[in-house]
Every structure is written in C-alpha cells, then in structure tokens.
Amino acid sequence: MSELVFFSGTMDCGKSTLALQIVHNRSARGLQGLIFARDDRAGEGKLSSRLGLVTDAVEARPGLDLYGRVVRELSQGGRVDYVIVDEAQFLAPEQIDQLARVVDDLDLDVFAFGITTDFRTKLFPGAQRLIELADRLETLQVEAMCWCGARATHNARTVGGQMVVEGEQVVVGDVDRSAEEVGYEVLCRRHHRNRMTSATARAAALSPDVLPIASA
C-alpha cells in the first residue's frame, strides 16, 4: 500500500542525501520518480546535498498544484512510480493535502523531507500539516551536532554570527554561509535557549573577563 512518509530532522542531518539515495536505489531497479524541491542551495529546479550530489527537480513554487503536476505528467505519457519532495516544510498546507491525494487517488508513494521547526522553534505550516497527515513519520538517524558536541535539536538563524529570533519565517540560507551573511546553525536546546552560537562561544572564551587572574 502506498504511503505518505515524512522524513524530518534538523538542518545538516542528511535529509537531501537520503532523498537522493532513494532516487538512486529506485532508479537502479527501473523505477522513475517525479522530484519536487523548493529553494535548494544549488538553485531553482535542483535537488542537491552537501556531499556534492545533485539532480534536476521541479521547483515547487507557491501556488503550484502538486497533484495536478503529477496527473499532467502521467497524462502526457510520462512515467511516475513515486514522488520525492525536498524542503517540504516550505510548502503550503494545501500543497501537503495535494501530496496526500497523490497517495490516495494515484496509489503512489510520496517521500517528503524537511525540518519541522523554524529558527524560533515554531512549526512550519507545511511541516505541521505533514505531521497531521503522514502515514509514517521518520526521524533521521544521522544526528547533527551542536558546537558543544551535544546532539543538535534546534535550528538557529544567525546574522554576523549572532543568533536572531525575529524576522520572516522563511529566509533562504545555509549552514555553510560566512558569518557576515544571514545563515543558520544547528544547536542543542540549551544553547538555543541561551542564544549561544559557535561564534559567541568563541568570543566568550577569548574575552579577558573570563580569563583566570594570575596570582601575585
């Protein structure tokens, strides 16, 4: 029986790599998938991983009817054995409903990949709808790590290395951006609560205020 499966995890935990691995494994068995992506680091219409792997994809723009796009592919003689959706947290709730319809009406597996919460620890609407509708929820086992070495559980937005907690929910960035740009960093809950990024931790370690005072 076909399923809607939501693979979730923090940034930098290998979601896109797993999506590409599924594509590779199924292609090796003669299956063909329709791949959707949104705001990928490699540019529009791409699905890429930080390991350097990349493939073409359909850009899941706001307002795109995902169910209709799959039906159009099939009606024009294309083959679709399954559907992959990367960065699914950016989709609108109604687009998640369309993915569920792909499973129920077209009997196709849909594998959605994304993060659940934003830099403010609030659920993305798309992720929330996936949690509500998915047949199966899978947490990725490759754990991202906070700068302190603990398991990273939260996504932090940074500007100039400083964590920010205000702004629009969706601002495209990456964990590989330079400190001067808008970027993201994965943190454990404790350091997310304390707004302590790797940059602020280094600054604190170098501050003369925390250096030991030599005895006379």
Side-chain angles (χ1 to χ4, degrees):
M1 180 168 298
S2 299
E3 291 183 304
L4 172 58
V5 186
F6 181 31
F7 295 89
S8 67
T10 61
M11 298 181 72
D12 211 20
C13 73
K15 297 181 298 299
S16 299
T17 300
L18 178 57
L20 288 163
Q21 185 68 52
I22 289 176
V23 172
H24 171 77
N25 289 351
R26 294 193 169 220
S27 296
R29 288 157 180 77
L31 301 177
Q32 185 169 329
L34 183 58
I35 304 170
F36 294 99
R38 174 77 179 272
D39 294 333
D40 190 88
R41 65 183 68 83
E44 185 172 311
K46 298 293 182 181
L47 167 58
S48 67
S49 80
R50 292 186 179 86
L51 300 182
L53 305 173
V54 62
T55 191
D56 291 330
V58 176
E59 186 72 16
R61 297 186 182 90
L64 176 65
D65 183 343
L66 303 184
Y67 175 83
R69 182 64 177 79
V70 176
V71 169
R72 184 164 70 253
E73 185 75 17
L74 292 169
S75 64
Q76 293 177 349
R79 180 176 176 181
V80 181
D81 297 305
Y82 62 96
V83 173
I84 294 278
V85 185
D86 198 29
E87 303 292 2
Q89 75 275 3
F90 293 146
L91 300 183
E94 55 267 27
Q95 290 177 307
I96 304 301
D97 290 344
Q98 294 159 10
L99 294 177
R101 189 180 178 193
V102 169
V103 175
D104 297 340
D105 294 358
L106 303 180
D107 197 26
L108 298 176
D109 285 320
V110 174
F111 305 106
F113 298 81
I115 60 180
T116 54
T117 58
D118 63 17
F119 68 105
R120 302 165 299 185
T121 70
K122 304 298 184 182
L123 282 170
F124 283 99
Q128 178 178 334
R129 193 62 177 147
L130 273 166
I131 293 169
E132 293 166 348
L133 292 183
D135 298 294
R136 184 155 50 94
L137 303 174
E138 298 284 350
T139 302
L140 269 67
Q141 298 303 308
V142 178
E143 296 180 348
M145 297 179 67
C146 178
W147 61 264
C148 69
R151 177 173 175 263
T153 54
H154 292 66
N155 305 293
R157 181 181 294 170
T158 61
V159 176
Q162 301 291 319
M163 180 174 159
V164 295
V165 293
E166 296 181 354
E168 296 182 10
Q169 186 174 52
V170 178
V171 174
V172 178
D174 203 348
V175 295
D176 295 327
R177 294 285 182 92
S178 66
E180 291 73 25
E181 300 179 86
V182 174
Y184 290 89
E185 182 174 348
V186 289
L187 301 172
C188 64
R189 185 179 64 238
R190 177 164 64 97
H191 287 128
H192 191 281
R193 287 179 58 246
N194 293 331
R195 303 186 187 182
M196 183 170 285
T197 66
S198 57
T200 55
R202 286 194 300 270
L206 295 174
S207 171
D209 294 335
V210 296
L211 292 177
I213 300 174
S215 58

